[in-house]
Amino acid sequence: MKYVNVIPLLALALLAGCGSNGVAHAPIGGPPACNKTNLINTGFNFDWTCWARTPTKPGTLPGFPTFTLKTSDSCVPSQEGNPFAAIETPAGSAGYLSQQFIDHGTPQSVSFRVWGGTDPVTVTVGIVYPTGLLEGAETILDTFTPPTVRSSPTTCSGNAPVIKTYSFSRSDFGPGSLIELRIHVTSNGVNDATANFDDLTSSP
């Protein structure tokens, strides 16, 4: 009977996205609740809690896209010991990072810090409403190429991360509606075709 009880608990932990990936930076107090009025776990201190990772296209290299939490980038010293999300999408692979949160019924904004690796990547930011089984259309807020911080595997380019901020408001959301932020990544490059994200916040 002991094993019957343990296995479902392990499965629930994995489904909740709370599994450890070796990034031991979670503050004391346990993981936060999701689907709140703002984005949660904005700095990945609780691993992937509240963030869904969805591959959408495999590309021509096996094993991609990949979603990884890291705590250092030699070309971005400010990330030393500071968790961030790295989405690698070489050779035409693609995927997106997403989180649902509650609309305020007033103009809102989302903001994040982003940078690339060596080969350029394309990032597309969108808002989906409604979510769930009756999933609606995605409103695209922007498509851009983040600055690449490496000119080779061992050489920094001198570029720095940038902060992107987007305001949005749709009359069909309605106060209390659950909406979803999606951040898509893809690339035709093959050398460190990675987009890196940190400090993903929403306001008000």
Side-chain angles (χ1 to χ4, degrees), residues 73-77 114-118 146-162:
D73 187 323
S74 59
C75 293
V76 186
V114 58
W115 65 99
T118 305
T148 54
V149 299
R150 285 183 177 75
S151 52
S152 76
T154 58
T155 306
C156 298
S157 66
N159 294 329
V162 294

Side-chain angles (χ1 to χ4, degrees), residues 31-172:
C34 306
N35 300 338
K36 296 300 184 180
T37 54
N38 289 104
L39 293 173
I40 302 298
N41 191 25
T42 60
F44 302 101
N45 290 313
F46 292 98
D47 290 0
W48 292 110
T49 296
C50 299
W51 292 103
R53 295 150 284 162
T54 305
T56 55
K57 185 179 178 183
T60 58
L61 290 177
F64 293 97
T66 61
F67 299 80
T68 309
L69 289 183
K70 298 182 178 180
T71 55
S72 65
D73 187 323
S74 59
C75 293
V76 186
S78 62
Q79 292 302 140
E80 184 63 36
N82 181 8
F84 62 95
I87 305 175
E88 190 169 6
T89 58
S93 58
Y96 65 84
L97 186 67
S98 63
Q99 185 177 148
Q100 296 183 354
F101 62 108
I102 297 172
D103 181 66
H104 289 262
T106 59
Q108 289 183 260
S109 65
V110 293
S111 177
F112 54 84
R113 194 153 53 94
V114 58
W115 65 99
T118 305
D119 285 349
V121 297
T122 299
V123 175
T124 299
V125 184
I127 297 290
V128 177
Y129 173 80
T131 62
L133 295 177
L134 300 177
E135 184 173 297
E138 181 171 1
T139 300
I140 301 301
L141 304 178
D142 191 19
T143 297
F144 67 95
T145 299
T148 54
V149 299
R150 285 183 177 75
S151 52
S152 76
T154 58
T155 306
C156 298
S157 66
N159 294 329
V162 294
I163 295 175
K164 307 290 284 188
T165 301
Y166 304 101
S167 297
F168 59 92
S169 177
R170 274 177 47 179
S171 60
D172 59 333

